[in-house]
mmCIF file of all heavy atoms in Angstrom:
data_model
loop_
_atom_site.group_PDB
_atom_site.id
_atom_site.type_symbol
_atom_site.label_atom_id
_atom_site.label_comp_id
_atom_site.label_asym_id
_atom_site.label_seq_id
_atom_site.Cartn_x
_atom_site.Cartn_y
_atom_site.Cartn_z
ATOM 1 N N SER S 60 91.874 74.719 111.171
ATOM 2 C CA SER S 60 93.323 74.516 111.120
ATOM 3 C C SER S 60 93.881 74.339 109.700
ATOM 4 O O SER S 60 94.998 74.836 109.422
ATOM 5 C CB SER S 60 93.648 73.232 111.934
ATOM 6 O OG SER S 60 93.504 73.458 113.299
ATOM 7 N N PRO S 61 93.180 73.708 108.733
ATOM 8 C CA PRO S 61 93.699 73.651 107.398
ATOM 9 C C PRO S 61 93.979 75.036 106.810
ATOM 10 O O PRO S 61 94.978 75.243 106.154
ATOM 11 C CB PRO S 61 92.678 72.883 106.598
ATOM 12 C CG PRO S 61 92.011 72.023 107.646
ATOM 13 C CD PRO S 61 91.955 72.873 108.870
ATOM 14 N N ALA S 62 93.064 75.947 107.032
ATOM 15 C CA ALA S 62 93.238 77.330 106.541
ATOM 16 C C ALA S 62 94.427 78.002 107.217
ATOM 17 O O ALA S 62 95.223 78.721 106.580
ATOM 18 C CB ALA S 62 91.986 78.212 106.751
ATOM 19 N N ASP S 63 94.592 77.741 108.552
ATOM 20 C CA ASP S 63 95.722 78.311 109.255
ATOM 21 C C ASP S 63 97.040 77.710 108.713
ATOM 22 O O ASP S 63 98.025 78.429 108.534
ATOM 23 C CB ASP S 63 95.620 77.977 110.759
ATOM 24 C CG ASP S 63 94.414 78.578 111.411
ATOM 25 O OD1 ASP S 63 94.000 79.678 110.948
ATOM 26 O OD2 ASP S 63 93.917 78.021 112.398
ATOM 27 N N LEU S 64 97.024 76.433 108.452
ATOM 28 C CA LEU S 64 98.230 75.777 107.944
ATOM 29 C C LEU S 64 98.589 76.258 106.543
ATOM 30 O O LEU S 64 99.742 76.471 106.205
ATOM 31 C CB LEU S 64 97.974 74.264 107.963
ATOM 32 C CG LEU S 64 99.155 73.362 107.599
ATOM 33 C CD1 LEU S 64 100.393 73.695 108.438
ATOM 34 C CD2 LEU S 64 98.817 71.901 107.833
ATOM 35 N N GLU S 65 97.557 76.482 105.700
ATOM 36 C CA GLU S 65 97.826 76.958 104.335
ATOM 37 C C GLU S 65 98.426 78.350 104.433
ATOM 38 O O GLU S 65 99.363 78.699 103.685
ATOM 39 C CB GLU S 65 96.505 76.972 103.559
ATOM 40 C CG GLU S 65 96.019 75.643 103.133
ATOM 41 C CD GLU S 65 94.706 75.703 102.407
ATOM 42 O OE1 GLU S 65 94.129 76.846 102.293
ATOM 43 O OE2 GLU S 65 94.217 74.636 101.971
ATOM 44 N N ARG S 66 97.946 79.192 105.329
ATOM 45 C CA ARG S 66 98.429 80.556 105.471
ATOM 46 C C ARG S 66 99.913 80.517 105.922
ATOM 47 O O ARG S 66 100.724 81.299 105.450
ATOM 48 C CB ARG S 66 97.610 81.311 106.474
ATOM 49 C CG ARG S 66 97.967 82.787 106.640
ATOM 50 C CD ARG S 66 96.804 83.517 107.322
ATOM 51 N NE ARG S 66 96.466 82.934 108.562
ATOM 52 C CZ ARG S 66 96.840 83.372 109.782
ATOM 53 N NH1 ARG S 66 97.696 84.441 109.796
ATOM 54 N NH2 ARG S 66 96.479 82.802 110.880
ATOM 55 N N ALA S 67 100.213 79.625 106.829
ATOM 56 C CA ALA S 67 101.584 79.476 107.347
ATOM 57 C C ALA S 67 102.528 79.059 106.245
ATOM 58 O O ALA S 67 103.690 79.531 106.144
ATOM 59 C CB ALA S 67 101.633 78.505 108.508
ATOM 60 N N LEU S 68 102.103 78.154 105.383
ATOM 61 C CA LEU S 68 102.950 77.657 104.324
ATOM 62 C C LEU S 68 103.085 78.659 103.170
ATOM 63 O O LEU S 68 104.188 78.816 102.579
ATOM 64 C CB LEU S 68 102.423 76.312 103.741
ATOM 65 C CG LEU S 68 102.494 75.130 104.720
ATOM 66 C CD1 LEU S 68 101.805 73.894 104.140
ATOM 67 C CD2 LEU S 68 104.007 74.817 105.016
ATOM 68 N N GLU S 69 102.017 79.396 102.883
ATOM 69 C CA GLU S 69 102.106 80.455 101.845
ATOM 70 C C GLU S 69 103.145 81.526 102.228
ATOM 71 O O GLU S 69 103.825 82.019 101.358
ATOM 72 C CB GLU S 69 100.723 81.085 101.653
ATOM 73 C CG GLU S 69 99.742 80.212 100.886
ATOM 74 C CD GLU S 69 98.390 80.876 100.699
ATOM 75 O OE1 GLU S 69 98.231 82.016 101.197
ATOM 76 O OE2 GLU S 69 97.474 80.238 100.111
ATOM 77 N N ALA S 70 103.235 81.836 103.506
ATOM 78 C CA ALA S 70 104.251 82.833 103.943
ATOM 79 C C ALA S 70 105.632 82.380 103.612
ATOM 80 O O ALA S 70 106.543 83.243 103.439
ATOM 81 C CB ALA S 70 104.093 83.064 105.448
#
Side-chain angles (χ1 to χ4, degrees):
S60 290
D63 297 331
L64 186 51
E65 288 177 357
R66 185 162 57 98
L68 291 174
E69 285 179 1

